[in-house]
Amino acid sequence: MPRVGTWEQGMGGLRIAALGPLKAWRGEQQLAIGPAQQRAVLAALTLRCGQVASADELVRDVWGSEPPASAHVAVRNHISRLRTALESESAAPKALVSVAGGYALHLPDGALDVSRAERLYARAQSARSLGDLEPAVRILTEAEALWEGTPLTGVPGPYAQRQRDRLMEYRLLLVEARLTLELQLGGHTRVVGELLTLADEHPLREGLRALQMLALYRCGRQADALAAYTSARRHLAAELGVDPGPELVRLHQRILEADPTLAPPRGVAAAAPAPGPAAGPAPGP
């Protein structure tokens, strides 16, 4: 479908949050965006970021492959109500428009929390490439704070579920990027507890497991780091029928050999062994 440009002005301060319960504001006023199916239509338009969605696409987004006979009428009614909810009488140009046989939602720059998270991640990557690790950590922390629980909480439909999964995965990408920088800065004692929790929550993510093993090792907990690898191998075999990837295998071997290159960065004091349980289940890349 064609893409419609973003409107930067004239929306009366319209803002939408999708990284938690779906919410909308105009200025400081929170808007009533209607019942569950209407929210599903709004989510489908919002997260297309200006792309046009046909009526057929919106029907599939909300009801899937077996919509009721009244689905197209329902979409038109939801669009009409959303226009009333989102647009002030003085708003020009309009936010929700009919284009090329479908509908598009125009938002000002920075008006969608998902877009702000993506821009912050890009800024953090740029800072990291310049060697500015501490600013990059702060920027990633700011991006993570945009999540207010599960994205699109309570919004029904297959499109919302796909986006919910994508946005939760994206948050993990930000978290993993931040924790990687924290370890590069010598913050192993500060993040080891968080990594233990994440390992339990995401036992198939090998990238998080590698960070956890490194943090444990740098905290003087070599046995726990090795136990984390064993747990990773067990979970991967049980859930996916595969062995750990080559990077995790190499890290395990380096920890066995007490590879001196695994030590904290220069200038960071070696940490005393931190008390705590052995590592739990294993995360993946």
Side-chain angles (χ1 to χ4, degrees):
M1 300 299 294
R3 183 175 178 83
V4 177
T6 299
W7 297 89
E8 297 185 4
Q9 298 177 345
M11 295 301 159
L14 181 61
R15 294 179 291 120
I16 295 181
L19 297 175
L22 186 65
K23 294 182 284 189
W25 298 264
R26 187 167 53 246
E28 297 303 313
Q29 177 188 3
Q30 186 167 347
L31 305 176
I33 53 177
Q37 287 182 353
Q38 190 163 299
R39 290 168 178 261
V41 172
L42 177 58
L45 292 169
T46 298
L47 293 176
R48 280 182 167 83
C49 298
Q51 285 186 328
V52 177
S54 70
D56 287 342
E57 287 175 315
L58 292 174
V59 166
R60 288 194 297 272
D61 290 347
V62 178
W63 288 278
S65 58
E66 297 182 359
S70 60
H72 281 79
V73 173
V75 164
R76 288 197 296 271
N77 289 336
H78 290 319
I79 292 290
S80 177
R81 295 187 188 106
L82 285 170
R83 280 197 177 111
T84 300
L86 297 176
E87 297 173 354
S88 65
E89 292 182 2
S90 61
K94 298 300 183 183
L96 208 173
V97 297
S98 300
V99 182
Y103 307 96
L105 180 65
H106 302 303
L107 291 174
D109 281 351
L112 175 62
D113 56 357
V114 177
S115 297
R116 291 202 301 277
E118 291 169 346
R119 290 184 183 187
L120 287 168
Y121 180 61
R123 280 178 52 199
Q125 293 292 83
S126 177
R128 179 180 181 175
S129 69
L130 296 172
D132 298 329
L133 303 190
E134 291 184 0
V137 167
R138 290 195 294 271
I139 294 167
L140 289 169
T141 301
E142 181 182 350
E144 289 176 49
L146 294 172
W147 270 257
E148 297 183 355
T150 302
L152 303 174
T153 302
V155 177
Y159 181 87
Q161 187 56 55
R162 291 194 301 272
Q163 293 299 316
R164 191 175 294 119
D165 294 343
R166 177 181 74 84
L167 293 170
M168 289 302 291
E169 181 70 20
Y170 191 66
R171 184 178 187 278
L172 281 175
L173 173 71
L174 298 179
V175 170
E176 194 168 325
R178 173 180 56 80
L179 291 169
T180 298
L181 294 176
E182 295 264 27
L183 287 179
Q184 290 178 9
L185 289 165
H188 41 280
T189 57
R190 183 170 59 251
V191 301
V192 67
E194 182 179 0
L195 282 163
L196 285 167
T197 299
L198 286 168
D200 284 336
E201 293 175 348
H202 306 283
L204 301 179
R205 294 186 70 92
E206 293 185 47
L208 283 174
R209 178 61 77 191
L211 296 175
Q212 182 203 33
M213 290 167 60
L214 181 58
L216 286 166
Y217 180 76
R218 287 182 174 177
C219 287
R221 297 169 61 178
Q222 183 184 34
D224 286 347
L226 295 172
Y229 175 82
T230 300
S231 180
R233 185 175 59 189
R234 184 172 64 249
H235 275 86
L236 288 166
E239 298 291 331
L240 302 177
V242 299
D243 293 324
E247 292 187 9
L248 204 61
V249 170
R250 282 195 295 271
L251 178 60
H252 174 251
Q253 186 61 36
R254 292 170 68 195
I255 289 173
L256 278 172
E257 298 169 354
D259 184 343
T261 64
L262 294 180
R266 274 183 155 184
V268 176

